[in-house]
Amino acid sequence: MINLQNVSFSYNNEKVLSNISLHIDKGEFTAIIGSNGAGKSTLCRIMNGLLKPSSGTVTVNGMDTRTTKSSILARHIGFLFQNPDRQICKNTVGEEIRFSLDIAFTDKSMIEKRLFETLSLFDFDADSNPFHLSRGERQQVALASIIAAEPEILILDEPTTGLDYVECMKIMSIIKKLNDKGITVIMVCHDMEIVLDFAQRILVLAEGRLIADGETREIFKMEEILRQASLLPPQIARLAARFGFDDVFYVDEMTDIVLKRIKNRRKRTG
Amino acid sequence: MIHIENLSFRYKNGRKPALDNISLTIHEGEFLGIIGGSGAGKTTLSYAINGVIPHHFPGDFYGSVKVANTDTFDTTPGRLSLKIGSVLQDIDSQMVSSVVEDEILYGLENFSVPGDEIEERLLSALEAVGILPLRYRAIDSLSGGQKQKVAIAAIIALRPKVLILDEPTSELDPKSSEQIFDLLKELNEKYGITIVVIEQKIMLLSEYVKKLAVMDKGRIILSGNVRDVLGHSSELEEIGIHCPRVVSLSNSLRDRGADVGGVWINLDEAEAGIRRLIYD
Amino acid sequence: MKGFFDYVPGSSYLHRLNPLTKLLLALMICIAAFISANHLFLVMLIVLNLGIGAQAGIFTRSVMLLKGLLKLCIIIFLLQVLFIRDGNVLVKLPLNIFITDGGISSAFMVVFRLVTATMPLALMLSITQINDLSNVLVTKLRIPYPYAFALTTAIRFIPVFANEMTGIIEAQTSRGVQLDTRNIFKKIKLVLPLCVPLLITSVRKIEGSAISAELRGFHLRTKNSCYKKYAVNINDICVIMISVVIVGSAILVNSIF
Ligand SMILES: Nc1ncnc2c1ncn2[C@@H]1O[C@H](COP(=O)(O)OP(=O)(O)O)[C@@H](O)[C@H]1O
Ligand SMILES: Nc1ncnc2c1ncn2[C@@H]1O[C@H](COP(=O)(O)OP(=O)(O)O)[C@@H](O)[C@H]1O
Ligand SMILES: [Mg+2]
Ligand SMILES: [Mg+2]
């Protein structure tokens, strides 16, 4: 699907990404983590062809981003920016979604079908004015109009920043649903609990270098790597680490191991 | 320090009241966290404290807000700003200058801080949030997280008695968010500054603040010590507030028969609690 | 648009001048451009502008600016040439259009003036911090602070909006809007609706700025609040004299030729 080979990128002589190689397969759910300024957003823009690599090659479904127009790549990759207000430009939610559909499809009945499906997936009122909605709801409108066009790959740059827990979970559950249907998801996220709960694979960026790439649980065990990237594992994993419990990430897992220890102690003392 | 009594407010073009009969007292030297879903009225409450309401946004205003014994109704946000420093929610739009240094100087100049003191305050504010190297940078060229730090530096340079921050870490990575809270803690403990912080990251809050107020639909539905508030985790879950995972852990252990004592609200407490359970 | 007005940090001779001196120099070059009716003199002023750019370490930007103005210049030049009919006819075109030597001469004049009058202001803003400008306007020229604040805010928003527009275009391109088309009419049709998000963000930003300024003592400011002092030294006197000489020579050149 997406393939990066020795990709470097500089903004006016300032090197922001150095020598990144990676491959993302169909259906994966990948999180990109790293501190502010590590190059996460730049990497996302490189992947969808908004930025062209200074050296190295990026291919999406076999197309080289350097020689393919952005508007063509957009048919394959949906990209949700952090700020929904840069995307929404129509006066009703229905029109906003239709705007994307008109670009993606020519078949009238297909457009009507997707419009209906998308509105009901998000439970939207087609006539509501997006500018009267809250930030979290506008983020949902932006996401809706992107996935309406049925991209095979979804790139999300901090989709949950500035949202409350309920809004966050609504967006994440929709993304999860799409991923279950086989859509490839790549997501930048600062919330390690969300990364733990949803992503299968993690890319760790630090100062423009890809310092780790692996399965979620494996990455969260690499304290040294995370420290280099100024990150901390999820809360329960941090707690477990203080007791030397390995491979414990969730409340249930921690509960089990603590109860087992209590029982062992009783056996010994009693 | 801050005394709110039966405060209700409806924006002029708003259908429902944004604040509904709020009473809250914040004592000098307190470190209070305010949580709640979006649209709960958190930002509006902060506006009521710093005087933006009713002076900037018109609407129906009932009840009273007193800051250091001054009724906010009888003064202006400008004069209140001598006592209360505010970091607003939307970082991008709260900048008034194009260069970092000028952004910090802006308030200092307006407050007519004497010239020999200004330079020192400028430097110590930049230093405190760790952005000294950004002094001459154009604000436009900074990342969201860096801007957030500039906004905070611009306010702490004014050395207010009360600091109110509206989601100050929303764009920051976990490490920088902790740095900001470390700084707030230091300001609170060392200089006795009263701090009110609105925050979505409840896990971070419970590592730092002493008190919590929970808002929902314009009301304060719970307030008190962090432990007492997080003890109501099922009620919080109902209004869409997700407690830190150590709270769920202590609940889950309690439900399965372990004697956890009270709820654990942060990592250190959870560690101590588990040590007691499995070693003592 | 992007990147022509925002401040370029530096410590060149020109950077270090008093903001008022820089403003005066820019205005005087503009005035000289409007007074002068001599092609050669105007060309020299353009060279002077480039020289100023080079001295301040923003030569590349000055050249870019010149290139940016070129498109506008070509359109104005063509209009002038086609519609001014003074002097001798050089070429006769169908539809009763003549090209005359007077037309060409005045077309060059207008274009040169446009360039000489635009460049100094853009260059001045590139090497002067807006806050400094506002401060001298208030302390030296006694302009009321709210007006100075409005002016600086307006100037400050130019790069902010340009950035915002870049972001909007990125977002729309990513959803498949063909903003990468080469057809200019199609492009304009596609870009126009994007003004909606720009407008909404602008209103929000302006409102935010107003609240933020108010919460940091906007109304408490007095004329003496300003911390930085803007001394006038020997360099400023030199540049002021040069500015006067420029206008003087424009008048002199006019009266001689
Ligand atoms: N448009 C730009 N021009 C110049 N530098 C930029 C630009 N955008 C980002 N950068 C720089 O590139 C680096 C990486 O930025 P970014 O990819 O946005 O990081 P992240 O998304 O991980 O926070 C930062 O140092 C930032 O200052
Ligand atoms: N300027 C305004 N005009 C009208 N209604 C507003 C305005 N600002 C906020 N509101 C409404 O007031 C309520 C509380 O908003 P706010 O205080 O911003 O909540 P929070 O900060 O908790 O997300 C919301 O229902 C919102 O729609
Ligand atoms: Mg980013
Ligand atoms: Mg808010």
Side-chain angles (χ1 to χ4, degrees), chain B residues 89-255:
Chain B
Q89 182 166 7
D90 186 354
I91 23 162
D92 260 329
S93 62
Q94 72 183 281
M95 300 293 166
V96 295
S97 321
S98 22
V99 179
V100 172
E101 175 189 54
D102 291 332
E103 185 68 23
I104 318 279
L105 286 177
Y106 182 76
L108 291 170
E109 290 182 343
N110 286 351
F111 284 15
S112 298
V113 173
D116 43 359
E117 207 184 317
I118 279 194
E119 178 79 12
E120 186 249 313
R121 285 219 209 173
L122 167 70
L123 290 176
S124 69
L126 290 171
E127 180 102 61
V129 292
I131 52 167
L132 205 49
L134 300 182
R135 179 172 175 177
Y136 299 107
R137 282 276 295 271
I139 289 175
D140 214 40
S141 74
L142 302 180
S143 70
Q146 289 171 323
K147 282 184 205 161
Q148 225 145 19
K149 292 182 185 172
V150 173
I152 294 171
I155 298 300
I156 63 174
L158 302 177
R159 311 221 164 131
K161 295 291 295 163
V162 184
L163 202 53
I164 181 160
L165 308 101
D166 196 351
E167 307 197 11
T169 68
S170 60
E171 305 239 350
L172 296 181
D173 59 40
K175 192 75 169 208
S176 315
S177 306
E178 278 191 358
Q179 281 168 1
I180 295 297
F181 270 87
D182 283 335
L183 171 69
L184 294 180
K185 188 175 167 180
E186 187 185 324
L187 292 172
N188 177 251
E189 286 175 357
K190 228 170 157 178
Y191 305 102
I193 296 176
T194 310
I195 295 180
V196 181
V197 55
I198 297 169
E199 184 56 82
Q200 292 290 348
K201 297 174 186 162
I202 186 165
M203 201 151 75
L204 189 63
L205 266 186
S206 50
E207 298 278 346
Y208 288 90
V209 303
K210 297 179 192 110
K211 292 196 165 180
L212 274 181
V214 185
M215 291 191 73
D216 185 41
K217 302 200 182 79
R219 293 165 165 272
I220 291 184
I221 57 161
L222 278 172
S223 77
N225 292 326
V226 178
R227 182 183 323 285
D228 300 337
V229 170
L230 294 184
H232 296 81
S233 55
S234 51
E235 279 140 283
L236 292 175
E237 208 77 38
E238 238 162 66
I239 60 161
I241 291 170
H242 191 60
C243 289
R245 296 207 172 171
V246 287
V247 173
S248 320
L249 178 67
S250 62
N251 288 341
S252 136
L253 281 166
R254 186 198 55 211
D255 293 348

Side-chain angles (χ1 to χ4, degrees), chain A residues 9 11-12 14-17 34-43 45 82 157-158 188 190 205, chain B residues 137 141-143 146, chain C residues 2 163:
Chain A
F9 181 81
Y11 286 109
N12 349 297
E14 184 201 347
K15 199 152 193 177
V16 174
L17 294 179
S35 57
N36 292 127
K40 304 179 296 297
S41 299
T42 308
L43 181 60
R45 285 174 164 80
Q82 201 177 326
D157 194 357
E158 301 194 29
V188 176
H190 283 311
L205 280 188
Chain B
R137 282 276 295 271
S141 74
L142 302 180
S143 70
Q146 289 171 323
Chain C
K2 187 173 181 219
N163 261 351

Side-chain angles (χ1 to χ4, degrees), chain B residues 11 13 18 37-44 57:
Chain B
Y11 286 99
N13 52 0
S38 72
K42 305 180 297 298
T43 299
T44 310
F57 288 112

Side-chain angles (χ1 to χ4, degrees), chain A residues 9-260:
Chain A
F9 181 81
S10 313
Y11 286 109
N12 349 297
N13 298 329
E14 184 201 347
K15 199 152 193 177
V16 174
L17 294 179
S18 41
N19 204 25
I20 292 185
S21 298
L22 59 91
H23 181 85
I24 292 175
D25 264 326
K26 184 169 163 55
E28 284 193 84
F29 195 132
T30 309
I32 303 177
I33 61 178
S35 57
N36 292 127
K40 304 179 296 297
S41 299
T42 308
L43 181 60
C44 290
R45 285 174 164 80
I46 287 269
M47 286 183 180
N48 91 328
L50 271 178
L51 297 175
K52 313 294 177 197
S54 314
S55 69
T57 45
V58 179
T59 55
V60 176
N61 285 344
M63 297 175 291
D64 190 326
T65 59
R66 225 192 288 255
T67 49
T68 316
K69 273 173 126 187
S70 293
S71 46
I72 293 180
L73 286 170
R75 297 295 313 278
H76 301 263
I77 304 186
F79 195 114
L80 182 67
F81 286 84
Q82 201 177 326
N83 184 352
D85 298 336
R86 289 181 168 175
Q87 195 196 312
I88 298 173
C89 55
K90 298 287 179 192
N91 287 326
T92 71
V93 172
E95 276 178 51
E96 181 64 30
I97 296 173
R98 193 185 285 276
F99 183 62
S100 285
L101 290 170
D102 284 339
I103 297 168
F105 304 110
T106 42
D107 178 5
K108 278 267 160 13
S109 63
M110 179 68 180
I111 292 179
E112 292 309 318
K113 175 173 156 269
R114 285 299 298 154
L115 180 62
F116 177 78
E117 283 173 0
T118 311
L119 285 170
S120 49
L121 175 63
F122 283 85
D123 202 12
F124 282 150
D125 170 11
D127 297 324
S128 54
N129 183 334
F131 301 110
H132 292 168
L133 300 175
S134 76
R135 158 95 195 236
E137 289 162 327
R138 291 200 303 276
Q139 185 76 286
Q140 287 172 35
V141 173
L143 177 64
S145 80
I146 286 165
I147 63 176
E150 297 191 311
E152 303 146 59
I153 306 167
L154 204 52
I155 299 182
L156 310 145
D157 194 357
E158 301 194 29
T160 61
T161 294
L163 307 193
D164 70 22
Y165 182 73
V166 175
E167 294 169 334
C168 206
M169 282 306 125
K170 181 161 180 208
I171 289 219
M172 289 312 303
S173 72
I174 287 171
I175 293 170
K176 175 98 180 37
K177 242 187 242 171
L178 294 167
N179 180 245
D180 290 342
K181 277 197 224 156
I183 290 179
T184 312
V185 177
I186 299 162
M187 172 179 80
V188 176
C189 188
H190 283 311
D191 187 332
M192 295 305 137
E193 315 291 330
I194 291 181
V195 173
L196 174 67
D197 289 352
F198 292 94
Q200 297 145 5
R201 172 181 172 188
I202 295 181
L203 307 176
V204 186
L205 280 188
E207 290 165 15
R209 287 173 308 114
L210 181 62
I211 59 170
D213 172 0
E215 209 208 316
T216 302
R217 279 177 169 249
E218 296 309 312
I219 296 285
F220 278 142
K221 282 187 221 161
M222 302 178 177
E223 282 182 40
E224 175 55 30
I225 290 281
L226 293 177
R227 214 169 40 77
Q228 270 181 44
S230 306
L231 295 168
L232 287 169
Q235 196 177 30
I236 296 293
R238 278 155 72 190
L239 182 61
R242 293 187 182 187
F243 293 92
F245 300 160
D246 199 26
D247 207 28
V248 172
F249 293 93
Y250 292 97
V251 171
D252 297 346
E253 295 170 350
M254 189 70 185
T255 310
D256 288 343
I257 195 162
V258 171
L259 290 173
K260 210 164 82 197

